Amino acid sequence: MSFVIEIENLTKIYGKFKALDAVSLNVKKGEIYGFLGLNGAGKTTTIKSMLGLIWPTSGIVTVNGKIITPKKQGPWEKVGCLVETANSYPELTVRENLEIFRRLRGLKRKAEPVMKIINKLKLTRYTEKKAGELSLGNLQRLGLAKAMMHKPEILILDEPANGLDPVGIVEIREILMELARNDNVTIFVSSHHLEEISKTADRIGIIHDGRLLKDVSSYELEKKIKKYLILKVNKKNNAVKILKKSGYEIISNKDDNSIIINGAKSTKIREEIVKLLVNMQTPPYEIKMVQEDLESYFLRIIK
């Protein structure tokens, strides 16, 4: 199988600090690869190595068939990227920023690529606003517009949802999924938000302290993440006895009238729990499903 992105034993050492420790992964054509890690885990160092922005201490990165090093010409006409923060000229408008980028990319038709990407990224109302006056979220949209304007075959994005509100996050998610599904664009996207990445990515790599701990499909990861059912009942002690007798694992029942039950992943199991309590005259008055966050998952798999 041929891969669009190949990383083999990538290592980066700064003095005595090992930022990356033999990271290896592959990304197929048209795949969305979610690269998850806490801040400082090594996500940005990996991405900078992929783009030839830093020298790796050892290891090989290949993008679109070309080995990447800072001194060699890479396949950049087919790659769009957003690394760390979205850079812009603060005294120029959104349109002017994108016009400069259009010229640097050698795109011929002046108005079409600029206005098309402005509309696509929902920046229309800010077209003539100076970049220095934009919110963090809209600056991020401008950075994404630059990355996408030349219709790249590969997108490499470092925390693209940074600064976006919930609506903006959903919009970016839909754009990325549309690019992958309809245009066969390969997308490598880093984030520290497990829940958001799991909704978007086909495969997920989890990096921690510079080491790749997991490389699984989003479906496999979904099965590994622990989920809990939180119930609130008036007759708490009775409810705990009923649930334990029926074989349910009670994680905690110290907070007010709350009972936390482990492993209630499916809707069917949740319905069975509620039905059981209702039949025993201890109906819950509040039900909530929660799942462990990325940090909790890290701590669990590390330990």
Side-chain angles (χ1 to χ4, degrees), residues 100-152:
I100 288 173
F101 197 74
R102 179 195 69 81
R103 295 184 184 186
L104 289 173
R105 278 291 183 182
L107 302 179
K108 293 183 179 179
R109 284 179 288 185
K110 183 176 179 180
E112 183 182 350
V114 171
M115 291 312 302
K116 191 171 182 178
I117 199 66
I118 282 176
N119 295 332
K120 190 177 186 71
L121 271 297
K122 309 288 176 124
L123 284 166
T124 311
R125 61 184 293 192
Y126 305 105
T127 302
E128 301 304 327
K129 190 169 185 175
K130 290 182 178 180
E133 299 173 358
L134 295 175
S135 66
L136 177 60
N138 283 322
L139 269 176
Q140 201 72 354
R141 289 175 188 269
L142 178 56
L144 283 166
K146 290 179 181 178
M148 295 166 54
M149 185 165 60
H150 61 295
K151 297 181 179 179

Side-chain angles (χ1 to χ4, degrees), residues 32-300:
I32 301 178
Y33 190 94
F35 198 46
L36 281 168
L38 304 176
N39 292 329
K43 301 189 303 295
T44 300
T45 304
T46 302
I47 284 176
K48 285 184 175 180
S49 299
M50 292 166 64
L51 294 170
L53 299 176
I54 60 173
W55 276 101
T57 304
S58 61
I60 297 173
V61 178
T62 305
V63 177
N64 219 29
K66 291 187 177 182
I67 296 176
I68 305 302
T69 67
K71 290 187 176 181
K72 287 187 178 180
Q73 178 66 34
W76 309 131
E77 71 281 358
K78 296 181 180 180
V79 176
C81 65
L82 174 62
V83 183
E84 292 188 300
T85 55
N87 295 317
S88 63
Y89 297 101
E91 292 302 314
L92 299 183
T93 66
V94 167
R95 180 184 55 77
E96 289 167 339
N97 267 277
L98 291 172
E99 173 59 21
I100 288 173
F101 197 74
R102 179 195 69 81
R103 295 184 184 186
L104 289 173
R105 278 291 183 182
L107 302 179
K108 293 183 179 179
R109 284 179 288 185
K110 183 176 179 180
E112 183 182 350
V114 171
M115 291 312 302
K116 191 171 182 178
I117 199 66
I118 282 176
N119 295 332
K120 190 177 186 71
L121 271 297
K122 309 288 176 124
L123 284 166
T124 311
R125 61 184 293 192
Y126 305 105
T127 302
E128 301 304 327
K129 190 169 185 175
K130 290 182 178 180
E133 299 173 358
L134 295 175
S135 66
L136 177 60
N138 283 322
L139 269 176
Q140 201 72 354
R141 289 175 188 269
L142 178 56
L144 283 166
K146 290 179 181 178
M148 295 166 54
M149 185 165 60
H150 61 295
K151 297 181 179 179
E153 296 178 8
I154 303 167
L155 267 177
I156 300 174
L157 306 173
D158 188 12
E159 300 279 2
N162 184 37
L164 296 176
D165 58 27
V167 173
I169 290 172
V170 172
E171 288 173 350
I172 297 304
R173 181 206 306 161
E174 290 175 349
I175 288 172
L176 296 183
M177 293 179 72
E178 180 184 342
L179 287 170
R181 305 298 179 260
N182 298 342
D183 300 328
N184 210 27
V185 175
T186 305
I187 301 172
F188 186 96
V189 54
S190 80
S191 179
H192 60 276
H193 295 295
L194 185 150
E195 185 176 0
E196 179 56 33
I197 285 293
S198 65
K199 294 175 182 176
T200 309
D202 302 301
R203 290 194 64 78
I204 293 173
I206 299 179
I207 189 170
H208 186 64
D209 286 343
R211 293 182 296 114
L212 191 69
L213 301 182
K214 296 283 184 181
D215 185 357
V216 297
S217 71
S218 56
Y219 175 73
E220 290 172 318
L221 183 62
E222 177 69 17
K223 292 194 295 184
K224 293 176 185 292
I225 295 296
K226 285 192 174 181
K227 296 185 178 180
Y228 306 97
L229 184 66
I230 300 178
L231 300 174
K232 287 194 176 183
V233 295
N234 288 319
K235 299 177 182 179
K236 181 179 174 180
N237 292 333
N238 288 345
V240 169
K241 290 178 182 177
I242 293 166
L243 291 167
K244 284 184 175 180
K245 188 176 180 180
S246 298
Y248 293 105
E249 181 186 355
I250 308 298
I251 301 297
S252 172
N253 63 345
K254 295 179 181 179
D255 179 32
D256 301 327
N257 291 328
S258 297
I259 303 171
I260 304 177
I261 304 170
N262 183 33
K265 292 187 177 183
S266 70
T267 303
K268 184 178 179 181
I269 294 174
R270 297 195 290 271
E271 289 175 351
E272 288 174 355
I273 290 171
V274 173
K275 185 177 179 180
L276 172 65
L277 292 176
V278 169
N279 289 338
M280 299 300 288
Q281 278 72 54
T282 55
Y285 61 84
E286 187 176 320
I287 305 169
K288 183 168 65 174
M289 190 73 204
V290 297
Q291 69 176 31
E292 63 182 342
D293 59 18
L294 182 58
E295 186 172 5
S296 299
Y297 179 68
F298 275 150
L299 292 172
R300 181 162 63 83

